[in-house]
Amino acid sequence: MSNPTPEGRVPECLLPPKGKSVGVRDIQAAMDTLPLKTLPRGLLPKRNRYYQPPKMLLGYTVNNDWVDSMAKEHNLVAQGINDEGNLCGDYLQTRQNVLKFVAKEAGVTSFVPAMSAIYDWLLTLMSSYGDKPAGNPTDADIDKLQLYLKKAEPPKWYLSALHWKWGMELRLVEHYSMFANTRCESYTKDVG
């Protein structure tokens, strides 16, 4: 498993901009530098301080094609009805179905991974802000997930697409505001 224990120095491109403004020093260089194998201590949030580092996420990258193929191959696609009364795919529920299915098939019992936005999608195990998916990942379960996903390396640290900059905001809970405009009531299909 990738060591979530903070060590090493923060890459210069991920340091805060001079003058405590929001952002990072060089976002393009940061994208070229990521992912990180270990999380530097300087990227952990500080108690009782308003100026905080960006949120870093530990996980494995996946893309929409992978989510779609898993959903279709294992009959996990959730259906809903839009405002016109037509059937539509409920992507959020489908994604949850895939996550539960992957955890179950991998034999993971301590947690169900979350899905987070980065430049693609990240099967998220935990964040630098301490928020975790449902449960508390054990090393053994992270190893099982790595095997199931056929990933050659342990999970790595990525910059969150939603909370990617230094600033004076609290980032306590991962949320997916980009999907707030979904206009589809879902017929949930729980994979158990």
Side-chain angles (χ1 to χ4, degrees), residues 60-64 66-67 115 118 120-123 149 151:
Y60 293 107
T61 56
V62 295
N63 59 37
N64 281 332
W66 179 83
V67 174
M115 196 76 78
I118 55 170
D120 212 333
W121 287 108
L122 187 73
L123 210 67
L149 295 172
K151 298 289 185 175

Side-chain angles (χ1 to χ4, degrees), residues 11 41 43 46 69 134 142 145 149 187:
R41 184 171 302 285
L43 290 176
K46 316 302 185 261
S69 69
I142 291 172
L145 188 62
L149 295 172
Y187 292 110

Side-chain angles (χ1 to χ4, degrees), residues 11 17 27 36 56 70 121 123-124 135 150 169 173-174 180 191:
I27 189 62
L36 303 175
M56 300 297 292
M70 288 292 289
W121 287 108
L123 210 67
T124 308
K150 299 177 182 157
E169 61 184 80
V173 179
E174 183 81 83
V191 195

